[in-house]
Amino acid sequence: MRKLYKSLIAPLYDHSINLQERMFRLMSILGLCALIIMSVLSFLINESTGDVLTILGGLSVFTVILTVTLKSHRIQMGASVISTILIFIMLPMVFFESGGMYGGTPMWFLFSAVFVCLVVRGKARIAFLIGDGLVLTACYAIQWYKPVWIVPHTAKMAYTDSLASTIIVGLFISLMVVFESKLYVEEQRIAEEQRKQIEEINRAQNRFFSNMSHEIRTPVNTIIGLNEIIMREAVTSEVAEDARNIQGAGNMLLALINDILDMSRIESGKMELVPAQYNIGELLSEITSMIWSRAKDKGLEFKVEADETTPAGLIGDDVRIKQILINLLNNAVKYTAEGAVTLTVECRRQQFTDNKKVDMVFTIADTGIGIRKESLPMLFDVFRRVDESKNRYIEGTGLGLTIVKQLVDLMGGEITVDSVYTKGSTFRVVIPQRIADEKEIGKITFKSGMNTGAGNEYRQSFEAPGARILIVDDNDLNAQVASKLLAPSKIKIDTASSGSLCLEMTQNNRYDLIYMDHLMPELDGIETLQRMRVQKGGLNRQTPVVALTANAGADNQALYKRSGFDGYMLKPVTGAELEETTLAFLSQELVKMTGVATVKADDTRIVDKHIRKRSIAVSVDSDCDLPPELLAAHRISVMPYMIRTEDGLFVDGRDLSASEAAAYAAKNQGKPIIPIAPSVVDYEAFFAERLINAEHVFHISTSAGGSQTLKNAGEAAAAFDNVTVFDSVQFSGGIGMLAIYAARIADSESLTPAALLETMTGVRSRVRSLFVAENTLPLMKNGLIKPSVHSMCRSFLLRPVLSPREGGVAISGFVNGPRQQYLRQFITRSIRNADIDRSRLFVISTTPQPDEKEKILDLMKKHPYDDVQFYNAGAVTSLVWGMNALELVYLLK
């Protein structure tokens, strides 16, 4: 019994075993019990050993299957075998031998259905349930039509069998439901415990990162502060260079700390935005000053283009916007060896919404190494660096772009990337903001911030010899650094190394400003401030107190504000930041302004005027067969095919026209002349060039006729977030009509690429394109028709009428006779449909004939159009469709 308990019952409560196996074990136990009970009942009711032996035989088979299944852990297979035997063999036999519908067997069909529902998975479950129902229905039908096949029960046997089966099956189902409920409750309890454990782990992780940030910022504050003091002094150029390198390394370490801390906040959902009014011009000046020097060090050109109509005052989290732009610009500089990095700033009014809302569009473009197409989907993954083999020597944590993406999402914005490997990348960030000041920024002038000299570049901003301040910090070095950074201002500075000492000093001395650290032994900064505010006889109960701390984050800023601090400064601090904050809190009577730092004339830059890009640029392949003047009028760009001959490659439409291709083919009989679709690389370069002057490219291609262009264009578009490839499913003129329609509506600024795609999908369903070909040999050579169709057309002098379809062409009918006759048949059949929109018709000919235009117009008099436009097909269309082919393109109503 103990062995049986360990093998069958104990695992029911083992949570390391999956739910399906535990349910299988329970159902197996109940099944074994059911077979034993049925054998006993059969013997008592029928007093026959035959039925008992049959059931015991089934019990033996059931036990063998159960043992094999549990040892091999192939639960699904075992459950399927048992269900098959139970539903299709055992239950029908018992049904016929035990009174049919008047016995207890129908209840066991119900049991088998419950067994299948709880144990079997996937499509097999549905199949067995259907089988169970069909077998039961068949058994009832057989008893109705062939009652002699059923071994009848006596009245006593029928009542006993039916009652016993009902009680047993009901009991078993109840046990299963109770066990299932218990499992569910237990799983819920385990899931809740795991959730709490994960939350505790996250809290511990956040505490660790926060403590790590605080502990690292404290010595970094000393390093950067003392280093700045060295840079102020008159030192040799070599020492100055070393000091600048220390400064750069310190700032890099600080950036890594910030990235890790931000990632921790984002993952825990504690990253908060702090909206405030800011000046976009000042923000750009700060960013440009930081990036320009780095770009100059690498020999890169750094350009800034700004929309002069941008409102100067905006409301948003300028700190996070600056973080986003600096991250993207730093990446652009890091991954660009030569060329330029360009920052473009554009403001767009949000139409149909509050007129105080705008979308700020920041575009960062570089001429760097670019990003592989296969790497784009994982670009914003945590700790992921694409193309590791090339970039392993470039510093960074791999968190920058992840943080950028999370911050942009948090602001309700959007970030997209377009990149051509080895050519460069373009990141586009759209962030919604509110307008605080409608005044336009105009031209922006900024300072480079390039410190090239030694100590003579520092200029103190003020003097306040009559002022007295107190710096409270348990780290003596930090207090010394702050004191030395403020020393040129001639302020009298006292220091205190603890909260208790601070309270003693504020009891006896009056201060104009107090800088207070937060985390200190005994009394921390918050408790010290609270005691100072109620200090009996204290002289500084109203003195402004600024938190000077290494605790970063918006939550800490909010904590200090709630605690009564008048300001907040995050370590490490620079001398300029300390002077600016001190100046803001000191009384004007104590301050004497001495000037600000100056910069050289060649360090001043004026932001270039931004030329607004087109919202959506429409482009097509050269097989659209639109004339150059029409393409230019609608600003439609063309991706040309190439035509290969023995004399070299020719550009479709530029180097070789349809007539020239026909003349070449006639002159060089038997020599190959092959149209070549643009390659993926060609499309990538084409899209990248279009995106210089457009924010989005809407490229119209086709899959009709088995064209390769759609596949190549789609593969190239995978490298760009701002390229849409649209399948026109049309021939040449149909592509052209869709391109003109798309170009006309794409210039609306309120139209998004998604809206244009939806609109064009609807228009596509209305376009009809029909081609009649005089010579079917080119069609057969290009795989558009089968050889058998070509042979039939030659034998019976037929001309096929073809219409486009996805991936090929469809034969819509045939015409016959000489050219004028078959053209009359083709045109009259094509344009007599009452559902045709009569506003416009395109007629494209591969080989225009003299006076043919007038004859075609004459044929259309019964069904006139408002505008009929005749075009000559290009070289590619002529080579594919052959000479003397004609196409009609129109719209349905």
Side-chain angles (χ1 to χ4, degrees), residues 274-276 526 529-530 533 545-547 553-568:
V274 184
I526 294 176
L529 173 65
Q530 291 170 348
R533 292 301 189 206
V545 180
V546 175
D555 50 347
N556 283 316
Q557 291 186 47
L559 170 65
Y560 299 133
K561 188 175 181 179
R562 290 195 307 269
S563 301
F565 283 92
D566 299 282
Y568 166 84

Side-chain angles (χ1 to χ4, degrees), residues 633-685:
H634 291 90
R635 297 194 295 172
I636 300 172
S637 303
V638 176
M639 179 73 240
Y641 273 73
M642 301 298 290
I643 298 174
R644 177 184 292 157
T645 69
E646 289 188 351
D647 296 329
L649 285 173
F650 298 90
V651 178
D652 179 31
R654 189 190 71 186
D655 301 334
L656 202 65
S657 65
S659 57
E660 291 169 336
Y664 182 92
K667 183 179 178 181
N668 300 276
Q669 292 287 340
K671 292 184 178 180
I673 176 169
I674 305 169
I676 302 173
S679 66
V680 174
V681 175
D682 294 334
Y683 275 115
E684 287 179 347

Side-chain angles (χ1 to χ4, degrees), residues 197-429:
Q197 290 175 0
I198 292 171
E199 287 180 353
E200 181 57 36
I201 291 171
N202 285 334
R203 281 194 293 268
Q205 174 184 283
N206 293 335
R207 285 195 298 269
F208 168 76
F209 283 133
S210 181
N211 293 337
M212 180 191 70
S213 171
H214 179 274
E215 295 304 318
I216 294 178
R217 282 177 185 276
T218 301
V220 168
N221 180 61
T222 304
I223 294 169
I224 292 179
L226 292 176
N227 189 70
E228 182 179 341
I229 294 169
I230 294 173
M231 294 174 68
R232 290 181 181 182
E233 298 173 355
V235 294
T236 64
S237 59
E238 183 179 354
V239 173
E241 180 65 25
D242 291 341
R244 282 193 294 274
N245 290 336
I246 293 172
Q247 198 83 356
N251 289 331
M252 186 183 300
L253 176 60
L254 197 60
L256 297 178
I257 296 168
N258 289 337
D259 280 352
I260 294 172
L261 193 60
D262 283 344
M263 198 64 237
S264 172
R265 289 199 194 100
I266 289 169
E267 287 184 342
S268 63
K270 292 185 177 180
M271 176 65 78
E272 296 179 0
L273 300 177
V274 184
Q277 183 174 339
Y278 67 95
N279 186 286
I280 185 66
E282 293 176 1
L283 182 141
L284 291 177
S285 294
E286 292 175 20
I287 292 172
T288 305
S289 297
M290 296 174 63
I291 302 299
W292 182 80
S293 58
R294 297 179 187 178
K296 187 176 180 181
D297 287 343
K298 289 192 68 174
L300 303 175
E301 183 183 4
F302 179 51
K303 298 184 289 186
V304 180
E305 299 175 358
D307 184 354
E308 294 181 6
T309 63
T310 301
L314 298 173
I315 297 175
D317 193 334
D318 57 317
V319 175
R320 295 304 178 186
I321 292 175
K322 189 189 303 182
Q323 182 180 358
I324 290 169
L325 297 180
I326 289 174
N327 251 318
L328 293 175
L329 287 167
N330 275 337
N331 275 352
V333 172
K334 281 194 297 186
Y335 294 103
T336 302
E338 58 182 4
V341 173
T342 304
L343 169 63
T344 304
V345 183
E346 185 180 349
C347 176
R348 288 191 167 180
R349 303 275 178 169
Q350 292 188 5
Q351 297 189 10
F352 313 114
T353 59
D354 186 349
N355 59 6
K356 286 290 185 180
K357 289 184 178 180
V358 294
D359 284 332
M360 292 303 301
V361 183
F362 302 96
T363 305
I364 295 91
D366 64 62
T367 56
I369 59 176
I371 305 166
R372 297 179 187 271
K373 288 194 294 290
E374 57 269 24
S375 299
L376 286 173
M378 63 188 74
L379 188 62
F380 298 106
D381 290 355
V382 181
F383 301 115
R384 174 80 70 167
R385 174 174 283 168
V386 299
D387 207 358
E388 188 71 34
S389 60
K390 284 193 174 184
N391 303 328
R392 62 185 182 277
Y393 299 117
I394 296 178
E395 73 278 355
T397 59
L399 290 174
L401 287 179
T402 304
I403 293 171
V404 166
K405 179 69 166 64
Q406 297 280 2
L407 288 176
V408 171
D409 289 346
L410 196 61
M411 294 180 179
E414 178 188 23
I415 181 169
T416 56
V417 57
D418 302 317
S419 185
V420 178
Y421 189 58
T422 73
K423 300 294 183 182
S425 304
T426 300
F427 286 82
R428 183 170 177 267
V429 178

Side-chain angles (χ1 to χ4, degrees), residues 687-840:
F687 293 150
E689 187 176 350
R690 301 287 84 71
L691 286 169
I692 294 174
N693 299 311
E695 292 179 357
H696 197 98
V697 173
F698 190 87
H699 184 76
I700 301 176
S701 190
T702 186
S703 63
S707 173
Q708 186 72 13
T709 55
L710 183 72
K711 179 178 179 296
N712 291 350
E715 188 175 336
F720 304 87
D721 281 342
N722 297 308
V723 174
T724 300
V725 176
F726 177 71
D727 184 6
S728 64
V729 197
Q730 292 295 329
F731 297 145
S732 63
I735 301 171
M737 181 173 285
L738 284 170
I740 292 174
Y741 199 102
R744 284 179 173 176
I745 61 176
D747 287 334
S748 171
E749 287 194 10
S750 61
L751 194 68
T752 63
L756 178 60
L757 178 62
E758 183 179 355
T759 301
M760 293 309 300
T761 302
V763 174
R764 179 179 60 191
S765 64
R766 295 171 49 210
V767 175
R768 292 293 181 268
S769 175
L770 294 170
F771 233 112
V772 61
E774 185 168 292
N775 184 3
T776 55
L777 181 60
L779 301 179
M780 184 189 71
K781 287 183 176 180
N782 287 289
L784 298 179
I785 63 172
K786 296 179 180 179
S788 57
V789 175
H790 168 64
S791 300
M792 181 184 72
C793 290
R794 290 193 62 182
S795 301
F796 298 98
L797 300 178
L798 299 176
R799 275 79 176 176
V801 176
L802 306 173
S803 59
R805 69 176 183 185
E806 189 173 346
V809 298
I811 298 178
S812 300
F814 295 92
V815 292
N816 59 4
R819 182 170 178 80
Q820 292 304 317
Q821 180 179 332
Y822 78 71
L823 282 183
R824 182 182 297 106
Q825 297 174 20
F826 170 63
I827 292 171
T828 53
R829 291 177 189 175
S830 300
I831 66 173
R832 66 188 178 188
N833 190 336
D835 294 329
I836 293 177
D837 182 344
R838 301 287 169 180
S839 61
R840 172 174 292 186

Side-chain angles (χ1 to χ4, degrees), residues 658 662 819 844-850 852 872-873 878 882-886:
R819 182 170 178 80
I844 295 93
S845 176
T846 60
T847 313
Q849 302 291 332
E852 193 166 71
N872 296 335
S878 299
M883 297 298 102
N884 297 320
L886 189 76

Side-chain angles (χ1 to χ4, degrees), residues 5-21:
Y5 175 81
K6 285 185 177 180
S7 61
L8 285 180
I9 300 175
L12 294 177
Y13 302 96
D14 185 353
H15 296 289
S16 63
I17 300 176
N18 66 61
L19 186 60
Q20 184 186 17
E21 182 172 341

